[in-house]
Amino acid sequence: MSRIGKAPVVILQGVDVKKDGQTLTVKGPLGQLVRKFHNDIIIDVQETEVVVTRPSESKLHKSLHGLTRALIQNMVTGVNTGFEKRLEISGVGYRAEKKGNKLVMNLGFSHLVEMEDPEGIETIPETNTKVLVKGISKEAVGAHAANIRAKRPPEPYKGHGVRYSDEVVRRKEGKTGK
């Protein structure tokens, strides 16, 4: 039995979960998320919890069991409290600012890097070197933060670039002269 899959998802107060076939709609104070799940997985929505079961012990059903439960848990958490990722920009002259719904960054290129916020995602420059990515979808927040980081990943010699706030960059020693 899947250790993650067998635990029921507790529906928090203020969150409404509706099931239509294999499509689950979760509404909460921050918004609404809709997702269609695999046809083989059995999703039972009760008053205070959602129980996910699998029809057999096949490898596919075992892997889908825990995945489905984790996705439902992320939907419930997202519409209730939301998700966020923090990014840090380090380097001489590197900075970020918000213009409308675009994040404009100076990352040492000859041009400014502009990234438009996807729907449901908000980027907030806390300072000119720290950026907060917020939203209700864990998947979308992580993807947008990764796209921002990909514009200038941290380099190993001086550590310049965009990194997650909890990321540790392994530093390399520079050249040694004779």
Side-chain angles (χ1 to χ4, degrees):
M1 191 73 176
S2 169
R3 280 186 262 178
I4 293 172
K6 70 180 176 184
V9 177
V10 177
I11 300 172
L12 303 168
Q13 192 170 3
V15 176
D16 184 36
V17 179
K18 289 196 169 96
K19 181 183 170 201
D20 181 30
Q22 286 300 98
T23 304
L24 212 63
T25 305
V26 181
K27 288 182 187 174
L30 297 180
Q32 172 179 322
L33 290 172
V34 178
R35 186 175 205 122
K36 186 172 182 344
F37 293 98
H38 197 276
N39 290 329
D40 292 350
I41 299 299
I42 302 154
I43 301 169
D44 182 29
V45 178
Q46 297 165 0
E47 282 188 32
T48 59
E49 61 188 20
V50 179
V51 179
V52 180
T53 54
R54 62 178 182 240
S56 73
E57 295 294 316
S58 72
K59 189 171 185 175
L60 173 68
H61 290 156
K62 283 182 177 182
S63 61
L64 286 172
H65 188 204
L67 170 71
T68 304
R69 191 260 178 213
L71 290 173
I72 295 170
Q73 177 67 56
N74 288 341
M75 289 170 73
V76 170
T77 305
V79 297
N80 192 44
T81 58
F83 292 100
E84 59 184 40
K85 287 251 186 206
R86 293 183 189 282
L87 298 166
E88 292 178 359
I89 302 171
S90 64
V92 177
Y94 290 16
R95 62 184 170 275
E97 61 182 340
K98 190 79 176 202
K99 288 186 180 170
N101 70 335
K102 289 185 179 180
L103 181 69
V104 180
M105 298 177 287
N106 184 346
L107 298 175
F109 297 119
S110 61
H111 59 281
L112 295 175
V113 177
E114 293 184 358
M115 295 195 70
E116 194 167 329
D117 291 349
E119 191 169 329
I121 302 296
E122 184 181 11
T123 53
I124 304 163
E126 295 175 317
T127 65
N128 56 346
T129 60
K130 294 183 194 251
V131 177
L132 177 67
V133 181
K134 288 175 59 173
I136 61 173
S137 171
K138 187 174 188 177
E139 193 175 348
V141 167
H144 191 57
N147 289 338
I148 293 172
R149 182 186 179 278
K151 296 298 179 187
R152 179 70 96 170
E155 54 94 21
Y157 294 102
K158 291 188 177 179
H160 296 323
V162 181
R163 73 179 77 161
Y164 298 111
S165 62
D166 58 352
E167 181 179 4
V168 176
V169 178
R170 290 192 63 203
R171 303 290 293 272
K172 291 183 179 177
E173 192 176 321
K175 288 184 183 178
T176 57
K178 288 187 176 180

